[in-house]
Amino acid sequence: MKTKLTVVKIGGNVIDDAETLKHVLQEFSQLDSPKVLIHGGGKIASELSLKMGLQPKMVDGRRITDADTLKVVTMTYGGLVNKNIVAQLQAFRCNAIGLTGADANVIPAQKRVTKEIDYGYVGDFEVDNIDVERLSFFIDGGLTPIFCALTHDQQGNLLNTNADTLASGIATTLAKFYETKLIYCFEKPGVLLDADDDNTLIRELGYLHYQQLKDDGIIHTGMIPKLDNAFAARRHGIEVGIKHALDLNKPAGTILL
C-alpha cells in the first residue's frame, strides 16, 4: 500500500498577505502525510520589476521573461519568497528545504519556442524527465521540498516556469511512488461561476462542464492554465481540489471529477 502524500500549490494574494501566508503555512505544517509545497510570487515580482524600471509583460496570464526579468524572478521566487516560506515552516517544526528545478537536477526543462510569441527565458518540462527518485529521496529522508517556479535548461540557464504546471507535474510523477493528492490554494473559495461572487462556488467540476464554461467565457484568463493543469493531474488518477488557502485542512472548495 502506497504512503499518502499531499502536494499543495499556493499563489495569488496568499503570498502577498503576511498573515494569510503565516496561517496557510501553519496549516500546511500540520498535514500528517509527507508533503510538497509549490509557490509562485508573480505579484511581488511585478512590483519589484516596476521599482527597477521594468514594465511587466503578460500574455494569457503568462509572464514574458527577458534577461532582466529573469534576474527579478530569480531574486523573488528563489530568494525572497522561497526562503521566507522555508524559514516560517522551520518555526512550525516542519523541516523544509527550498528548491528550484536546478537543485539536484530534479526538473530539467527546455526553453519555450513558439512562432507567435517570444516568451524569453520561459521553460517547459516533460513529466517523465522529473527525477522522481531524487525527489522521493528528500521526502523519505524527512524533508519537505518547497519548490519555487524555476527550472533549468542544463546549459547554465534558469527558466521561469508556470507554478500551476509545476504542481501538476510534480504530483503526477510522485503518484508513481505515493498515493498523491493535489490541492491548489488561492484567494477564492474555489472555481466560481462569477469571479466577483463567492456564493457561486462550483463544488464538483467535470472536464466537459469545464470546457463549456471556458467556451462561454465564464472561466477565463488565469483560471484556464490552472484548470488545464489540474485536469491533467486528475487524468492520472490523482485527487485534485481547488480551494481558498484558509480552508487547506477543511473539506471545502471545488473537487474535480
Side-chain angles (χ1 to χ4, degrees):
M1 185 174 179
K2 292 181 178 179
T3 300
K4 291 184 178 180
L5 179 141
T6 305
V7 176
V8 176
K9 188 268 176 175
I10 57 173
N13 295 327
V14 176
I15 293 172
D16 300 335
D17 187 283
E19 285 303 313
T20 300
L21 179 61
K22 181 179 180 181
H23 177 87
V24 173
L25 295 180
Q26 185 171 20
E27 292 287 307
F28 176 79
S29 69
Q30 293 171 357
L31 290 171
D32 291 334
S33 62
K35 47 196 173 284
V36 179
L37 183 71
I38 296 95
H39 67 83
K43 292 186 178 181
I44 296 175
S46 294
E47 292 171 0
L48 185 56
S49 293
L50 290 171
K51 289 180 180 178
M52 297 175 67
L54 302 172
Q55 184 64 43
K57 298 177 182 178
M58 310 290 288
V59 176
D60 295 330
R62 298 181 186 272
R63 186 180 301 273
I64 303 296
T65 309
D66 58 20
D68 287 334
T69 302
L70 180 64
K71 294 177 182 178
V72 174
V73 298
T74 299
M75 288 187 290
T76 306
Y77 301 169
L80 179 63
V81 177
N82 188 268
K83 299 313 172 190
N84 177 55
I85 288 174
V86 169
Q88 289 195 58
L89 286 173
Q90 298 294 0
F92 294 132
R93 303 296 184 266
C94 175
N95 198 3
I97 178 171
L99 299 169
T100 70
D103 294 296
N105 194 29
V106 172
I107 311 175
Q110 56 280 335
K111 188 173 179 289
R112 182 180 301 169
V113 178
T114 64
K115 295 180 180 179
E116 296 81 12
I117 302 169
D118 182 5
Y119 284 94
Y121 291 96
V122 168
D124 296 311
F125 64 92
E126 299 293 334
V127 172
D128 289 343
N129 289 337
I130 297 176
D131 191 341
V132 65
E133 287 83 7
R134 184 67 60 186
L135 183 51
S136 64
F137 175 81
F138 291 134
I139 296 168
D140 295 342
L143 296 173
T144 297
I146 312 299
F147 278 97
C148 67
L150 293 169
T151 56
H152 75 126
D153 64 0
Q154 297 183 295
Q155 304 297 318
N157 300 301
L158 288 169
L159 298 170
N160 186 13
T161 300
N162 182 272
D164 291 331
T165 307
L166 208 60
S168 176
I170 288 172
T172 298
T173 195
L174 285 173
K176 299 173 184 176
F177 291 172
Y178 308 91
E179 182 183 336
T180 306
K181 176 192 294 187
L182 172 60
I183 303 174
Y184 285 99
C185 291
F186 65 147
E187 69 276 10
K188 296 291 184 178
V191 182
L192 306 175
L193 283 172
D194 181 349
D196 297 320
D197 185 355
D198 289 355
N199 294 316
T200 62
L201 173 68
I202 303 171
R203 297 193 180 278
E204 294 183 338
L205 182 62
Y207 186 72
L208 292 179
H209 187 195
Y210 162 54
Q211 289 297 317
Q212 185 62 56
L213 293 173
K214 186 166 62 172
D215 291 342
D216 293 341
I218 295 172
I219 292 177
H220 51 83
T221 58
M223 281 302 294
I224 292 176
K226 185 183 300 294
L227 282 167
D228 283 346
N229 284 296
F231 274 109
R234 188 69 189 92
R235 284 192 290 272
H236 284 85
I238 295 168
E239 180 183 338
V240 182
I242 301 173
K243 61 175 65 176
H244 196 291
L246 297 178
D247 294 331
L248 176 58
N249 290 336
K250 299 177 183 177
T254 302
I255 298 298
L256 301 193
L257 304 177

